[in-house]
Amino acid sequence: MRVPNARDLRSANRPDRERSPEIDEDVTGKELDRATQHQIKTLEANSAEWVARHLVMAGRLIDDEPELAFQHALAASRRGGRLAAVREAVGLTAYAAGHYGEALREFRTYRRISGSNVHLPVMADCERGLGRPDRALDVVRSEEAQDLDAPGKVELAIVASGARGDLGQLDAAVAELEIPQLDINRAFSYSPRLFRAYADALTAVGRETEAGKWQRQAVVAEEALGQGMAEEPDIIDLGWDEEEEAREEAERRKRIAHAAGAAAQEGTESSDSQAAPAISAEEDAAAQRPSADAAEGNLDDAEADYFESDDAESDEDSAEPDEEAGEAEAGDAENAGAEAEHTEQQDDDRRHDGSED
C-alpha cells in the first residue's frame, strides 16, 4: 500500500484526488542525467529539487510498479509541467501503466515542446491500445516517421505489424516487418526483438518452418550482443555505418556555414536599423520562475498542468471545466458594461451643459 507524502498538504486536494507518493530517503535528485538536470535548473531551487527527486522515483519504479511511477511523474508535473523531460516522464509512466489516453496526450505535448519525434512508435502503439489500429497506421505512414533512426524504424514496423494483425490482415503484418533492418546475417541492439516479431507474424500465417529459423536466429543475435545468458558481446552495435555518419557530418557542417552566413548578414543590416528592446536574461529567468508566494507555499500546492491537451478525443475522461476562467470572463464583461454606461452618462451631461450655455 502506498504511503502518502507527508509534505503534500495541498489545499487543492479533493477527496477523490490522490496525494503525491513518498520519496525514498536515499534519493537526492542528482541521479538524473545531465540533460534533464539542465532543464530542471530553470526552476526555482526548492521546486527543482522536488521535481528531480520525483523523476528519479519514477525511473526507479517504472518497470516493477508502473502505476506508482506514474503518480511520481504526476507529482513532478505539478511543479515542472512546462519542461520537456517532465512531460516525457509522465508519458512513459502512463504508457507503462496502461493509461494510453494520458500517455498519448503527454507524448504530443513533449513533441510540441522539444520538437523531437523519438516517441512516435510509442504514440502509434497508444493508438492501438485505445482500439484505433487505423490511426496507428496513420502515424506509421506520417512524414515525421521517415526521419527516425534505425531503432525507431524497427519499433514502428513492429507496431505497424501489430496493427495489421488487429485488423485481421495477417499477410500484411508479415510484410510490415520486411524492412532493411531485417538482416539475418547482422545483429544490432534491435535485432532480437525484430526477429521474434517476424517469427510470430510468420507463425500467424502458417509458415512454421521459416518462423523457427527466425526464432533461432534471435537467440544467436542475443548471444552475439551479450544479451540473454551471454556475458560478453562478440560484436558491438555502432548504430550508423561510416557512410551514413559522413553524410550526416557533411550536412551538419553545411547547416553551420549557412547559419554563420545568415548571422553575418544580419549583423551588417542591423547598423542601419533600430534594434528592438530585448528582455534581459535576468528578467527572462524571473518570468520562468514561480511567484514568490507560490515558492513560499508547499511545493506540491499546485494543480497539475499535465491535463492541458490538444487532443480532445484522448483526454475527454480527464478534462475538467475551468470554473475560475468562466467567472473571470463574466466579471470582465460586467465591468465593460458598467464602464460603457458611465461613459454614456458623461456624454449626456456634457450635451446638457452645452444646451444651457
Side-chain angles (χ1 to χ4, degrees):
M1 181 177 180
R2 181 167 64 84
V3 179
N5 193 323
R7 297 177 64 190
D8 182 4
L9 301 174
R10 295 180 295 148
S11 59
N13 272 323
R14 299 194 306 263
D16 61 333
R17 176 168 294 168
E18 291 191 70
R19 296 187 178 185
S20 302
E22 186 62 77
I23 300 173
D24 293 346
E25 293 182 0
D26 64 314
V27 173
T28 65
K30 296 180 181 179
E31 299 87 345
L32 297 172
D33 61 86
R34 290 185 178 181
T36 304
Q37 288 187 29
H38 182 71
Q39 290 187 39
I40 293 176
K41 284 181 180 179
T42 62
L43 301 174
E44 185 270 334
N46 290 334
S47 295
E49 179 185 357
W50 179 264
V51 170
R53 296 180 71 197
H54 274 296
L55 288 183
V56 172
M57 289 299 299
R60 175 179 290 188
L61 297 167
I62 188 170
D63 292 327
D64 298 327
E65 299 182 70
E67 184 61 40
L68 182 53
F70 178 49
Q71 295 302 320
H72 276 288
L74 287 182
S77 76
R78 296 186 185 110
R79 300 299 294 178
R82 298 186 183 279
L83 302 182
V86 173
R87 306 306 282 256
E88 181 181 33
V90 177
L92 290 171
T93 54
Y95 175 75
H99 304 306
Y100 300 117
E102 288 86 344
L104 185 60
R105 175 175 55 243
E106 291 305 305
F107 287 133
R108 285 174 174 167
T109 303
Y110 167 79
R111 184 173 63 175
R112 187 169 59 248
I113 294 174
S114 67
S116 172
N117 294 312
V118 66
H119 292 305
L120 273 180
V122 189
M123 293 171 66
D125 204 37
C126 286
E127 295 286 9
R128 285 189 63 206
L130 292 170
R132 304 190 297 231
D134 287 327
R135 292 181 62 170
L137 292 173
D138 289 340
V139 175
V140 173
R141 304 291 179 246
S142 64
E143 293 184 6
E144 295 83 358
Q146 309 308 313
D147 298 329
L148 294 177
D149 58 9
K153 289 179 179 178
V154 168
E155 289 300 321
L156 209 57
I158 293 174
V159 174
S161 178
R164 293 292 188 184
D166 295 341
L167 294 170
Q169 303 169 0
L170 301 183
D171 289 324
V174 173
E176 291 285 358
L177 294 168
E178 293 174 341
I179 57 179
Q181 290 77 18
L182 186 70
D183 187 344
I184 200 169
N185 297 315
R186 300 183 68 186
F188 296 93
S189 59
Y190 50 76
S191 297
R193 178 168 162 77
L194 176 60
F195 293 170
R196 286 196 171 91
Y198 190 54
D200 292 341
L202 290 172
T203 300
V205 295
R207 295 161 62 178
E208 300 287 350
T209 303
E210 294 177 74
K213 179 183 69 173
W214 285 97
Q215 286 284 10
R216 291 189 295 273
Q217 198 64 16
V219 176
V220 172
E222 283 182 338
E223 293 175 350
L225 294 166
Q227 300 175 0
M229 298 300 294
E231 295 182 358
E232 297 294 334
D234 295 332
I235 64 173
I236 298 176
D237 176 12
L238 298 178
W240 297 99
D241 58 27
E242 292 182 359
E243 293 182 0
E244 182 63 33
E245 187 175 355
R247 287 195 296 270
E248 191 171 0
E249 178 64 18
E251 184 65 25
R252 186 181 70 85
R253 291 179 181 274
K254 186 185 299 184
R255 289 197 300 269
I256 293 175
H258 178 73
Q265 182 178 1
E266 182 179 353
T268 303
E269 295 176 353
S270 63
S271 60
D272 299 328
S273 62
Q274 184 177 1
I279 300 176
S280 67
E282 293 80 2
E283 292 173 337
D284 183 61
Q288 296 294 328
R289 289 195 298 268
S291 65
D293 293 339
E296 292 175 359
N298 187 276
L299 289 175
D300 207 22
D301 191 12
E303 292 294 333
D305 61 356
Y306 104 98
F307 290 107
E308 295 178 2
S309 171
D310 58 359
D311 180 26
E313 182 173 354
S314 65
D315 69 347
E316 59 184 0
D317 294 333
S318 60
E320 297 181 1
D322 191 349
E323 297 179 358
E324 293 182 0
E327 293 175 358
E329 292 178 359
D332 291 342
E334 183 178 349
N335 292 336
E339 184 177 351
E341 183 178 351
H342 179 68
T343 303
E344 184 178 355
Q345 182 62 41
Q346 287 181 330
D347 292 340
D348 291 341
D349 292 343
R350 283 195 292 270
R351 286 195 296 269
H352 181 69
D353 293 340
S355 64
E356 288 182 352
D357 293 341

